[in-house]
Amino acid sequence: MDDIRSRAIRIYDAFTHEHRDRRALLREMAALAGSVAAAETLIAGIAASPAAAQQVPENDDRLVASMQSFTAEGINTHYYHAQSKDPDGALPVVMVIHENRGLNAHIKDVCRRLALAGFIADAPDFLSPAGGTPADEDKARDLIGQLDMAATVATGVRALKVFAAMRNTNHRIGVVGFCWGGAMANRLAIAAGKGLDAGVAYYGPAPDPAEAARVQAPLLLHYAGNDTRVNATGEPWVAALKAAGKSVEAFTYPGVEHAFNNDTSAERYNAAAAGLAWDRTIAFFHKQLDSPA
């Protein structure tokens, strides 16, 4: 069964990251599982159900959380904002970057978790230029694939500046991204220069190692042991960062799958690895961001 599960996850990852046809996905899964019904059960267990594992309620009375927007250089960007209702002084900011499904309920929940950990959390919807994240995650993935990457990175750099400059912050800002967002976190570490104070990437495909010298912020990078697709890019990226004298910590969690942190996906989520990676992330952000700029 473990072999079928692992092969099913590989097939699903190819679908989500290589933009394959859903009918082809069902056909391959049915061949693996033995029937269409069994294939649909496999797919349901792997695919994310964003509301399924909410850890912090939307109406948690300890927090202030809502959708907001900012306009910079003539471009309007929607974002989700979460922070403590009664902050103890000015707080650092963590910008949260969504997966290739867009700004969904799971990423908003991650923002609320960060807010309870002592940060102001802001998650831009990078599909704002396309009208915002749609409810259909397949459509969201298609729209993500159509984004102009240079323009998207520029939006991320603008967002970092806007969020860090807001009142009630200590003007220090970090970024954390997952999957597509992990790749974006690395790209922003290159593009933002000193405009970023700390970066965390969860299993994000890495940039060209030749770009490592441009990174200014300390980085914490999380990789899944079974994620050969991403790890093939991550290992040379980490080596290049170290060779360039950059501050980087990288952890690979043995035996876990891509998206192991996403607790809305029953087949991918690994509670032990997710908990350890989260504790490391929170400690890293407090170390790098708590002191005022």
Side-chain angles (χ1 to χ4, degrees):
M1 182 62 187
D2 282 347
D3 181 56
I4 290 177
R5 172 178 172 272
S6 295
R7 288 163 61 193
I9 288 171
R10 300 287 87 72
I11 293 170
Y12 191 83
D13 277 347
F15 165 71
T16 59
H17 298 290
E18 299 172 16
H19 305 289
R20 293 186 179 179
D21 183 82
R22 180 166 280 277
R23 288 173 295 183
L25 168 68
L26 185 59
R27 189 164 54 247
E28 290 186 55
M29 286 291 202
L32 176 65
S35 70
V36 171
E40 289 175 339
T41 299
L42 267 178
I43 292 169
I46 298 168
S49 175
Q54 185 183 80
Q55 291 190 21
V56 183
E58 292 182 39
N59 61 351
D60 191 302
D61 60 12
R62 296 168 293 178
L63 301 176
V64 175
S66 65
M67 286 297 299
Q68 301 185 20
S69 65
F70 68 85
T71 301
E73 299 179 23
I75 298 173
N76 187 255
T77 300
H78 300 285
Y79 67 98
Y80 185 75
H81 171 86
Q83 70 173 76
S84 170
K85 186 177 289 185
D86 298 303
D88 184 17
L91 298 177
V93 183
V94 175
M95 187 168 92
V96 183
I97 308 183
H98 54 70
E99 300 169 315
N100 64 355
R101 298 174 181 87
L103 179 56
N104 59 18
H106 170 63
I107 295 300
K108 293 175 182 178
D109 191 41
V110 170
C111 286
R112 295 192 294 272
R113 299 174 203 178
L114 282 164
L116 290 181
F119 304 96
I120 294 171
D122 293 311
D125 185 348
F126 283 95
L127 288 176
S128 293
T133 294
D136 183 336
E137 69 174 40
D138 287 346
K139 184 177 180 180
R141 277 192 288 264
D142 288 342
L143 291 172
I144 289 282
Q146 296 167 22
L147 288 175
D148 179 297
M149 187 51 64
T152 303
V153 171
T155 294
V157 172
R158 280 193 298 272
L160 289 171
K161 292 177 182 177
V162 169
F163 296 149
M166 286 183 174
R167 64 188 184 90
N168 300 326
T169 78
N170 70 352
H171 306 300
R172 292 187 65 78
I173 187 162
V175 63
V176 60
F178 305 87
C179 187
W180 181 87
M184 276 294 296
N186 277 314
R187 289 176 183 269
L188 290 178
I190 295 167
K194 294 183 179 179
L196 178 67
D197 298 302
V200 178
Y202 279 75
Y203 32 78
D208 185 335
E211 301 277 18
R214 296 176 57 193
V215 172
Q216 299 296 313
L219 297 181
L220 173 61
L221 309 175
H222 300 297
Y223 295 103
N226 294 350
D227 191 3
T228 55
R229 177 184 63 88
V230 168
N231 295 350
T233 68
E235 290 168 8
W237 175 238
V238 173
L241 288 165
K242 291 180 177 179
K246 304 303 177 179
S247 175
V248 58
E249 290 183 280
F251 296 96
T252 298
Y253 301 82
V256 303
E257 304 293 340
H258 180 84
F260 68 82
N261 183 74
N262 192 332
D263 48 3
T264 71
S265 173
E267 293 293 340
R268 297 171 182 267
Y269 178 60
N270 184 285
L276 179 56
W278 184 256
D279 289 346
R280 286 169 168 164
T281 295
I282 296 302
F284 174 77
F285 278 142
H286 278 304
K287 177 182 177 181
Q288 301 296 339
L289 303 177
D290 280 355
S291 297

